[in-house]
Amino acid sequence: MIVLQNVCKTLSGREVLKDISFHIAENENVGIIGLNGAGKTTLLNTIAGMIKPDSGFIRSGGKESLIEEKQALRKLAYVSGTRSQLWETLKVKDSFDNCISMYRLNRKDAGERLILLADIFEIRAFMDRTPEGLSLGERMRCEMVYALLAQPKILMLDEVMNGLDLSIKYKIMGYFEKYKNERRVTMIYTSNQLAEVEQLCDRVLLIDQGKLIFDGTMERIMKQFSPYYRIEIKISEGFPDFEDLPLEKYSMDNDGLTIVYDKQKIGTAQILKQVMEKCKIKDVKLFEPNLEDTIKKIYRG
Amino acid sequence: MGEVRIALQSLKMSFSTRMQYRVDSLVAALAVFIRESANIIVIYLALLKFDSINGWNVNEMLFLFSILFLTYAFVVSLFADLRDFSRMIREGRFDRLLVRPRGLLFQLILNNADLIASVGHGTLGVLLFLVSAGKVGIHWNFATILYYVCAIISGILIQGGMFIIFSSLSFYFVETNSIREIFYWNMRKFAGYPISIYHKLIQGLIIYVIPFAFVNYFPAQYLLRKPDMVNYNEIYIYIAPLVGIIVYLAAYAFWRVSVKRYYSTGN
């Protein structure tokens, strides 16, 4: 159980966390989303106990700070690109070896786990290299394996998908989904991608400029603040007529048509049908909603 | 047992990192050895002009030096991360230790060994000991050997404790290297000579504030019994092997208090 009550924090003159309150139950999967600089990482550091709030109340598993409690730390994994657990000058596999001793893991079990994880995260090819020679995405994959070796009960993942190729990203997200369902872990996942959080988390905390502006299910964010979709259509002939359609916005130039709409009010198929009645379509591009638009909508209520 | 395993593993890792650049590492260790030896040779040549300084002859002074180098060889292999601690904080490499389920000092002490400096200082220390120990009239028996070993351990703890204290200051100040430069390295230079030759103020500093006198001067007095010991209380000789434990515990307490500041300032 993680509890935050009216937590405020100012760092170098900037209010990074403004009066934040929420609870996270055991086994809950929570996504913290926000734009860059919204305060996600500071919030995560605060939950871990790395940063003490200026005011407000915080308890993680009954303690003021997770990281001052060695027993609690054995069950915690905090993966972050800015706090590498790998040793720069050592081969990646030596860092894993170090992890096994540090966390007092059973050598045989951990070794078997490592073989499995190395396959899933596709890191086998660079276990014999030092992290210096790896790309950001390759390093992050090794960091995740390091974290999962100790089979944590609390998983804190800070923008871990940055720099990953799409195919491996979906594979890894699939693994996390399985991991959290099988082991009943508490997962806190930060990202600026709605889609990632939608797949992994039941609940969303949306942070903007240090304030918690939304706390609820992913379903609700999609329904209530269903972000706008955008569609760009290239037309070779004719003029469309949208008089009676509930669109948010549309504009036209040369042969291009841009339509912004709310999926709760009107479906994509209906728009296309309407356009096709009057025009010949050359090309269609669909843009999924982004975080900025969602945040704008939440502010508007 | 896990601790021993981690210690051996870390040593192996430090070693294999060094061995990736075998020739570089050997040259670097040799460079450290030559640099330190050059200082000693200059001092040695200067001392040949005098019969003795405050009753200490050249060999006795080399013996005094040998303790400094021997203890420091262990200090740099154990406390290397604490020696470079302010840089570690600046580069953000300290944060990762916070989320691991082991004590912070435990990790800092075990993680990194500066084997190059260790070999350089250690070789010189052993050489100086071999050159001097047979000529200064020490009667080596069980008691003197036991005392000597305890004094070396205590000397390591005194200097390690000081590194911990200077590292703790990094939680309060951005720049701590110059403080350490003044108090550690300058005092270490003074400690190469019998402290009785200095002004009372410096003697006070080196006995009570930065207790280098307990690293080599008082232990050497137990073995050599030079006349200038009349200036000091005899008890100092006997507590020298214990001072390390006291300094280290004090340093540990100061570290525990100071590291809490790291959390509230937000790294």
Side-chain angles (χ1 to χ4, degrees):
Chain A
M1 178 84 153
I2 294 164
V3 182
L4 273 80
Q5 200 75 53
N6 308 110
V7 166
C8 297
K9 182 73 196 179
T10 300
L11 290 176
S12 24
R14 207 172 122 229
E15 273 185 89
V16 195
L17 299 179
K18 298 173 193 161
D19 196 26
I20 291 193
S21 305
F22 60 81
H23 294 203
I24 297 176
E26 227 162 286
N27 305 327
E28 209 174 359
N29 307 303
V30 179
I32 298 178
I33 47 180
L35 303 172
N36 292 331
K40 298 186 296 276
T41 303
T42 308
L43 185 56
L44 224 51
N45 284 341
T46 310
I47 292 171
M50 284 187 155
I51 293 182
K52 292 234 157 70
D54 298 335
S55 65
F57 173 89
I58 174 153
R59 285 286 179 280
S60 304
K63 293 171 196 85
E64 209 174 319
S65 162
L66 276 179
I67 61 159
E68 280 178 51
E69 200 68 37
K70 300 219 172 50
Q71 283 308 315
L73 273 179
R74 289 179 67 179
K75 294 282 155 226
L76 170 79
Y78 185 174
V79 187
S80 149
T82 55
R83 194 182 310 103
S84 173
Q85 291 294 333
L86 304 168
W87 298 96
E88 294 86 354
T89 50
L90 294 180
K91 288 176 186 163
V92 172
K93 64 170 186 196
D94 288 337
S95 285
F96 292 150
D97 213 36
N98 192 246
C99 169
I100 290 170
S101 315
M102 281 275 174
Y103 285 81
R104 303 173 203 267
L105 304 177
N106 178 310
R107 263 180 193 269
K108 192 168 154 281
D109 295 351
E112 283 165 11
R113 238 177 357 256
L114 179 57
I115 293 171
L116 234 66
L117 288 167
D119 272 343
I120 294 163
F121 287 77
E122 295 179 23
I123 58 165
R124 187 162 287 202
F126 31 84
M127 296 253 289
D128 273 318
R129 309 226 307 258
T130 62
E132 290 164 322
L134 303 180
S135 76
L136 173 67
E138 289 168 340
R139 236 187 353 250
M140 282 314 290
R141 273 141 65 193
C142 296
E143 296 282 349
M144 285 187 259
V145 171
Y146 185 102
L148 289 167
L149 261 184
Q151 298 188 294
K153 294 291 280 177
I154 302 177
L155 248 172
M156 297 170 77
L157 304 169
D158 191 14
E159 310 221 1
V160 289
M161 299 296 171
N162 286 1
L164 293 192
D165 292 334
L166 276 187
S167 62
I168 182 104
K169 175 169 151 182
Y170 287 119
K171 195 169 164 195
I172 289 172
M173 295 212 340
Y175 177 80
F176 278 129
E177 226 181 330
K178 209 174 106 225
Y179 183 84
K180 68 167 199 195
N181 291 334
E182 280 171 7
R183 319 198 120 258
R184 302 186 51 76
V185 296
T186 308
M187 187 164 80
I188 307 174
Y189 184 99
T190 78
S191 174
N192 52 19
Q193 302 290 316
L194 272 173
E196 284 175 18
V197 174
E198 190 183 2
Q199 187 183 340
L200 286 176
C201 308
D202 314 320
R203 180 174 156 207
V204 187
L205 302 175
L206 216 161
I207 309 285
D208 188 54
Q209 290 167 21
K211 277 191 301 213
L212 180 63
I213 60 170
F214 177 88
D215 176 0
T217 59
M218 196 67 215
E219 232 174 12
R220 201 177 128 220
I221 218 173
M222 290 319 257
K223 271 213 184 95
Q224 194 176 342
F225 304 105
S226 68
Y228 297 141
Y229 280 66
R230 184 160 57 98
I231 190 165
E232 282 179 19
I233 309 175
K234 285 209 190 315
I235 297 170
S236 55
E237 227 182 279
F239 290 101
D241 173 20
F242 295 124
E243 281 304 293
D244 47 352
L245 289 186
L247 301 179
E248 300 301 323
K249 206 162 66 179
Y250 71 89
S251 60
M252 210 172 140
D253 55 43
N254 296 338
D255 56 351
L257 187 63
T258 306
I259 302 163
V260 177
Y261 60 102
D262 185 337
K263 232 180 173 176
Q264 300 298 315
K265 294 182 194 156
I266 183 168
T268 314
Q270 207 181 336
I271 296 173
L272 284 177
K273 197 176 143 231
Q274 189 93 358
V275 176
M276 273 148 74
E277 266 171 23
K278 302 266 173 109
C279 328
K280 259 197 181 143
I281 293 176
K282 230 169 29 182
D283 188 27
V284 177
K285 255 191 211 153
L286 183 67
F287 295 89
E288 296 209 331
N290 61 26
L291 193 53
E292 278 99 334
D293 292 339
T294 314
I295 291 171
K296 268 183 216 149
K297 264 198 105 175
I298 288 173
Y299 274 126
R300 255 188 278 154
Chain B
M1 273 323 282
E3 281 71 15
V4 178
R5 185 173 197 127
I6 296 180
L8 290 176
Q9 218 171 34
S10 312
L11 196 62
K12 195 187 106 195
M13 293 192 299
S14 296
F15 187 71
S16 60
T17 307
R18 288 292 167 216
M19 278 303 108
Q20 286 170 11
Y21 311 100
R22 202 163 313 197
V23 179
D24 283 12
S25 299
L26 283 175
V27 170
L30 190 65
V32 171
F33 173 77
I34 291 173
R35 182 190 70 203
E36 298 300 325
S37 306
N39 286 329
I40 297 298
I41 289 167
V42 168
I43 290 164
Y44 180 79
L45 293 176
L47 288 175
L48 287 178
K49 289 267 171 203
F50 307 87
D51 275 344
S52 65
I53 294 181
N54 271 19
W56 293 63
N57 68 31
V58 173
N59 283 323
E60 286 160 344
M61 291 192 48
L62 292 185
F63 184 75
L64 204 52
F65 267 114
S66 76
I67 301 178
L68 272 189
F69 284 106
L70 283 174
T71 52
Y72 191 72
F74 288 99
V75 170
V76 279
S77 55
L78 290 171
F79 298 93
D81 270 346
L82 288 149
R83 180 194 60 187
D84 306 330
F85 191 67
S86 56
R87 195 172 69 202
M88 194 170 188
I89 293 245
R90 228 176 15 248
E91 292 173 1
R93 283 182 292 121
F94 178 59
D95 283 3
R96 65 172 168 207
L97 308 189
L98 297 175
V99 295
R100 291 184 184 151
R102 295 291 182 140
L104 292 169
L105 274 181
F106 171 80
Q107 295 188 53
L108 288 167
I109 289 169
L110 286 190
N111 278 342
N112 203 354
D114 186 349
L115 293 176
I116 288 178
S118 189
V119 168
H121 283 88
T123 311
L124 182 58
V126 171
L127 272 177
L128 289 176
F129 179 84
L130 292 177
V131 166
S132 62
K135 299 180 190 156
V136 289
I138 300 171
H139 178 59
W140 292 105
N141 55 27
F142 179 74
T144 48
I145 291 173
L146 181 69
Y147 180 92
Y148 184 78
V149 170
C150 290
I152 292 285
I153 294 171
S154 172
I156 296 165
L157 289 176
I158 290 172
Q159 293 172 79
M162 284 193 271
F163 276 178
I164 292 172
I165 290 170
F166 290 124
S167 297
S168 305
L169 292 177
S170 302
F171 298 123
Y172 302 92
F173 312 106
V174 180
E175 223 295 297
T176 55
N177 281 344
S178 44
I179 302 177
R180 194 177 57 179
E181 187 64 36
I182 294 168
F183 285 105
Y184 185 86
W185 297 111
N186 281 338
M187 282 301 145
R188 185 170 181 268
K189 276 177 204 151
F190 287 133
Y193 302 87
I195 60 167
S196 57
I197 65 172
Y198 298 118
H199 186 273
K200 281 275 174 228
L201 182 74
I202 291 173
Q203 289 187 30
L205 271 176
I206 210 165
I207 295 173
Y208 303 112
V209 185
I210 311 287
F212 261 113
F214 291 96
V215 175
N216 65 345
Y217 180 74
F218 290 124
Q221 282 290 15
Y222 175 80
L223 301 163
L224 304 177
R225 298 288 174 174
K226 305 308 295 178
D228 60 336
M229 190 59 209
V230 297
N231 298 317
Y232 312 103
N233 194 329
E234 192 85 353
I235 191 102
Y236 289 162
I237 288 179
Y238 299 101
I239 61 167
L242 296 175
V243 172
I245 296 169
I246 296 162
V247 170
Y248 192 84
L249 287 178
Y252 180 71
F254 183 53
W255 166 271
R256 287 293 296 253
V257 172
S258 306
V259 78
K260 290 213 187 305
R261 269 184 68 92
Y262 188 69
Y263 301 135
S264 50
T265 50
N267 318 343

